[in-house]
Amino acid sequence: MRTGTRAALLVGVLATLASGCGSLTDDALRTTLPAMSGRPADEAPPSSSTKAVHCGDPTISLRPPDRLPPPGAMPAGTTMRTIQERGRLIAGVDQNTLRFAYLDPLTGRLEGFEIDLVRELARAILGDPTAVQLRVLKSTEREDAVLTHRVDLLVDAMTITCERRQKGLGFSVPYFEAGQRLLVRSSSTARRLEDLAGERVCATATSTSMTHLRAAHSGAIPYAVSQRTDCLVALQEGAVTAITSDDAILLGLHAQDPYTKLIGPRFAPEPYGIAVDRNDPGLVRFVNGVLERIRRDGTWQRMSDRWLRGLTGAAHPPVPRYGD
Amino acid sequence: MTAAIAPRPGRVLRFRPRVDSTPARLRLALVLIVVAATLFGVSVATAAHSRFVAARSAGERTEPLVVQAVDLHSALSDADATVSSTFVTGGEEPRVRRARYLADLRRASGALTVLGREADASARARDAIAVIARDLPRYAGLIETARANNRQGFPVGAAYLRSASDVMRERLLPAATTLYAVEARALNDALRASSSRRELAVLAVCAVILLVMLVAAQAHVARATRRVFNVPLVAATVVVLAASVWTAVAFVRQADAAARAQHEGSDPVEVLSATRVLALRAQADEGLALASRGSGDDDLADFDAALRQLGVTQPESGLIAEARSLARTTGSEEGVDDLAGRLATLRTVHTRVLDLERSGRYRAAARLAVGADGDELRAADGISRALDRLVPKSQRRFDDAAADASGAVRGLWLVVLIAAAACALLAFLGIRARLEEYR
């Protein structure tokens, strides 16, 4: 009896002592792990459709008014009036295309032909070329930005196409005539798209270049990226053999890498237009009026001489065609 | 002696040890006590030693690896955040930023080397180390290409930076997180091994068996010899009882210290480090959002998500609340309050940056975000400094508690063995004296 009591007592003491101490948990690990796991990866860029839409000549635009309203006196009820009251023009642009619109890493400023064009539009509406908010858009989101009015207008090397018109975009007359070509390493023996069968060719996901590349059925393997300069990274890192885009953009890439060359003929025309909402014909006519003026007073030529010298299509402004 | 337990001649068919005589019973009791004492000595000493080894390895080996894993993760996050904000500034990168990026890379490779040499040999840890060893040079290469292009004014530099950031966020940081998870779990397991109840149970069972033997032997001796106390046997009982209580107390003190090491040491280190990682992520998001000039909605959403996880908006949930409740046990909430205040500043500065950016004053927004405006200390740097003060304190608390945990059982195995040997010897002496009366 005595032994039993003693043993029970000992076990009791041990149990009491054991239950007294704090317990170990994985709580901290459970709460910190999600924090350490970082942000989820971005989605892959959507790819463009391959089917072509026909609507005649897509570059035909609306005739401008005979006389533009003076800066700072926009007619009531127009988008220009809204911009005037806001005090600044919100424009969608790119920041990666040398000559047209790029971020100068030395100054941290956006520069280029298209940036100057935006400033001319701001001057026409507000009388102040610096009353501008530039919104840099990824190639994949720029159409939506216009349709949802995140930007007033888009000046972003956008090719005027029937497909984009059908999506609800309205276009000015072309402000530049580019054409699609190929950029390869200078050691490459390829001379045209047909020589690149079985090779990977880079283009931005939702560009007309990608649509044309798919439609050409040349045997080249399309490689989609979300921004134009990503193609140059892919070429330099050896992920692709060639880049296809507008010659204007390709020359900008070539300027950053002398070990590349442009090859082949222009295999598709790429007229660039200023994109706005199609349901805003007043704005289209106004923009066409501004383009008319800068073509006539030599501003277009001055801008072209500054930014586009050496490019096919830089010598003369495109000839406008108006539907009505 | 042997004749006592040999079968009787002529009764071969019925094996029965001769324990019906008193000397035989006494001899059997002695054998049983010696066996039980050996069992007690070996089992309890082994248990004590294994707990000592577990506590020492938790403190001296596993925890430093957790620190290295945490360091690797925050060095990589810091590099990402530093680089992302160079997107924004324009012009030649400030020299402090470049120096900070290079220091981050050095810290990351240093931590990786230690982890590679010491890390838990699990396949997950090895794979993660391999990923970082392979992709860190790739990341650094992309950054240098970006820099070379930037210095020539080429926009492709920004594309290389984006590409580098993808490698960081899709390859390097997930691998660093895996390493952290493996090492933190190993630490918790080691602390658990140094405070498990199993050794207490072993002690209880062995001690009870031995004490029952001793007491039964004394009862028998008392009945057979009409003497109430057999001094050596009583002494043996006292020795075993004392050793058992000592061991039990040491085990419990050790378990307490291990729990303290976790609650006041490693848990706060982990929570505070996660806070740092999230603050850096928010900072990188702000830089990327500004750099993408109006198309950074994903980055802004992630900034908000990071702040939500920190609990800047709702103080009752999130990592700050966790850090505060951990700090309460050591009465060091002040430091956490300071940190929370700085995180709140990060948010107010961010709101002002966004306001400036949305009203088209991009340059002003960028200057505010990178703290270029002179006297205003950069919110993110303040957070970093507050953490640099807090983390070493928790680190010291861990070291102290871990030293207590191993100190509580240091040399205990020897005490147990000596007690067991003394018990066997005393039992032998006590029983031999009685046996001699039967000669």
Side-chain angles (χ1 to χ4, degrees), chain A:
Chain A
M1 213 47 232
R2 254 169 63 200
T3 60
T5 323
R6 231 186 263 182
L9 195 71
L10 182 68
V11 170
V13 168
L14 290 177
T16 322
L17 285 171
S19 61
C21 66
S23 60
L24 291 149
T25 66
D26 285 331
D27 290 351
L29 185 60
R30 262 197 298 277
T31 49
T32 52
L33 258 189
M36 301 283 246
S37 298
R39 64 187 277 179
D42 292 339
E43 289 164 32
S47 77
S48 62
S49 69
T50 51
K51 63 169 194 289
V53 182
H54 297 285
C55 63
D57 181 354
T59 65
I60 295 173
S61 187
L62 300 176
R63 192 173 298 281
D66 293 336
R67 182 171 293 128
L68 289 176
M74 296 296 125
T78 63
T79 309
M80 293 81 80
R81 180 66 175 227
T82 316
I83 296 166
Q84 181 192 316
E85 275 159 14
R86 189 200 295 133
R88 62 183 195 279
L89 170 69
I90 303 179
V93 294
D94 186 40
Q95 63 171 351
N96 295 317
T97 311
L98 271 186
R99 295 163 181 255
F100 281 86
Y102 70 100
L103 183 74
D104 185 343
L106 306 181
T107 61
R109 281 176 207 285
L110 289 161
E111 308 273 10
F113 182 88
E114 289 173 340
I115 305 298
D116 285 357
L117 201 52
V118 171
R119 298 199 185 286
E120 286 306 318
L121 291 165
R123 192 204 302 279
I125 299 170
L126 297 136
D128 176 6
T130 64
V132 162
Q133 182 178 355
L134 298 171
R135 196 161 269 180
V136 171
L137 301 171
K138 288 182 201 138
S139 316
T140 44
E141 63 179 3
R142 50 192 191 154
E143 292 168 13
D144 278 346
V146 175
L147 295 175
T148 59
H149 295 214
R150 279 184 57 214
V151 295
D152 298 321
L153 43 79
L154 180 85
V155 192
D156 186 9
M158 182 176 264
T159 306
I160 305 167
T161 63
C162 292
E163 193 194 359
R164 287 183 173 135
R165 281 191 180 279
Q166 223 167 46
K167 280 189 192 160
L169 292 176
F171 284 98
S172 69
V173 292
Y175 60 86
F176 186 77
E177 296 271 10
Q180 188 175 356
R181 293 183 69 194
L182 287 162
L183 186 78
V184 293
R185 277 183 281 270
S186 42
S187 58
S188 170
T189 54
R191 302 180 65 179
R192 59 182 71 80
L193 185 59
E194 287 69 34
D195 298 337
L196 293 166
E199 304 285 346
R200 272 183 299 228
V201 177
C202 184
T204 43
T206 55
S207 63
T208 48
S209 308
M210 184 54 99
T211 312
H212 293 150
L213 177 64
R214 288 184 200 278
H217 296 293
S218 63
I221 304 158
Y223 182 96
V225 296
S226 67
Q227 300 195 34
R228 289 173 194 141
T229 38
D230 293 342
C231 274
L232 186 56
V233 174
L235 186 75
Q236 289 178 345
E237 296 283 295
V240 300
T241 310
I243 303 171
T244 183
S245 188
D246 314 339
D247 46 6
I249 291 168
L250 292 179
L251 273 175
L253 297 182
H254 170 71
Q256 301 175 57
D257 185 351
Y259 297 103
T260 58
K261 63 182 179 190
L262 266 95
I263 56 163
R266 282 185 163 188
F267 58 87
E270 303 270 6
Y272 293 166
I274 297 172
V276 299
D277 191 330
R278 195 173 60 178
N279 302 320
D280 195 349
L283 185 57
V284 176
R285 286 181 200 278
F286 181 85
V287 169
N288 281 340
V290 175
L291 288 175
E292 184 84 49
R293 200 201 71 213
I294 65 168
R295 274 197 305 269
R296 214 173 283 154
D297 68 7
T299 308
W300 190 96
Q301 202 59 53
R302 264 202 311 282
M303 282 162 47
S304 175
D305 289 348
R306 177 165 180 213
W307 296 110
L308 309 179
R309 203 178 310 138
L311 278 182
T312 314
H316 305 286
V319 179
R321 296 179 62 192
Y322 299 117
D324 57 291

Side-chain angles (χ1 to χ4, degrees), chain B residues 398-420:
Chain B
F398 178 90
D399 290 341
D400 292 348
D404 287 353
S406 55
V409 291
R410 177 174 289 123
L412 183 64
W413 66 276
L414 194 60
V415 172
V416 170
L417 278 188
I418 291 172

